[in-house]
Amino acid sequence: MAKEPKAAGATPDTGAPGKPAAASKRKKEFKKKRERRVVPHGYVHIAASFNNTQITITDTDGRVMCWSSAGAIGFKGSRKGTPYAAQQASLAAAGVARDQYGMKSVEVKVKGPGSGRESAVRALAAAGLHIVVIRDVTPIPHNGCRPPKRRRV
């Protein structure tokens, strides 16, 4: 049997669709612009250890909105534990919370014995956040761990 010549522009019978001329010029699909979440009040958790200071800003439900630390800012080694590094980390986190989320007032929860506690709180106020309450939430052992048994020599 001789094959019949196919007409130009006809699609083959293999099931694969032919390329129409309009397929190359598709409309661009634009994603919806993410709605800016406005959180006027939130919590600032400051974890100040001897080696680093971490600042986490959350909404009232506890969802993290932004964070920063002395190490994330770029300090290395023993300079991460300084009050200046804590101040810079606090300014960075507060700036993001203020500009992106419209945060106005915060409650501060400070944890740990580090030297960056005080300067981190001062930097929050300097960044334009109204501090409502400052709480110390450092865990304190009431009776402590059970001591190790007596050493026998």
Side-chain angles (χ1 to χ4, degrees):
M1 268 193 194
K3 290 186 179 178
E4 295 179 28
K6 294 190 177 181
T11 58
D13 295 334
T14 57
K19 281 190 175 177
S24 61
K25 290 188 177 183
R26 288 185 182 164
K27 286 188 176 180
K28 288 186 180 178
E29 295 179 17
F30 292 104
K31 290 183 180 178
K32 282 187 179 177
K33 197 169 187 181
R34 200 174 112 214
E35 213 172 290
R36 188 179 148 209
R37 205 172 88 182
V38 177
V39 182
H41 183 76
Y43 292 104
V44 177
H45 303 269
I46 299 172
S49 70
F50 292 118
N51 296 322
N52 202 355
T53 304
Q54 299 164 343
I55 290 96
T56 306
I57 300 180
T58 66
D59 59 6
T60 50
D61 295 330
R63 291 185 293 238
V64 174
M65 295 167 17
C66 57
W67 63 272
S68 183
S69 70
I73 294 296
F75 291 94
K76 290 183 178 178
S78 60
R79 286 184 297 180
K80 288 192 297 184
T82 61
Y84 179 71
Q87 176 185 350
Q88 295 301 312
S90 191
L91 282 172
V96 171
R98 187 189 63 232
D99 298 339
Q100 287 188 3
Y101 296 97
M103 189 167 281
K104 302 250 189 304
S105 63
V106 292
E107 292 183 28
V108 180
K109 296 182 179 184
V110 185
K111 182 187 285 189
S115 61
R117 295 164 52 107
E118 195 72 29
S119 60
V121 174
R122 288 179 193 272
L124 290 172
L129 295 178
H130 179 256
I131 297 174
V132 179
V133 169
I134 301 173
R135 285 197 184 97
D136 188 2
V137 292
T138 306
I140 300 169
H142 293 284
N143 198 13
C145 300
R146 180 176 176 172
K149 58 187 180 182
R150 192 164 161 261
R151 187 167 172 253
R152 292 190 297 256
V153 180

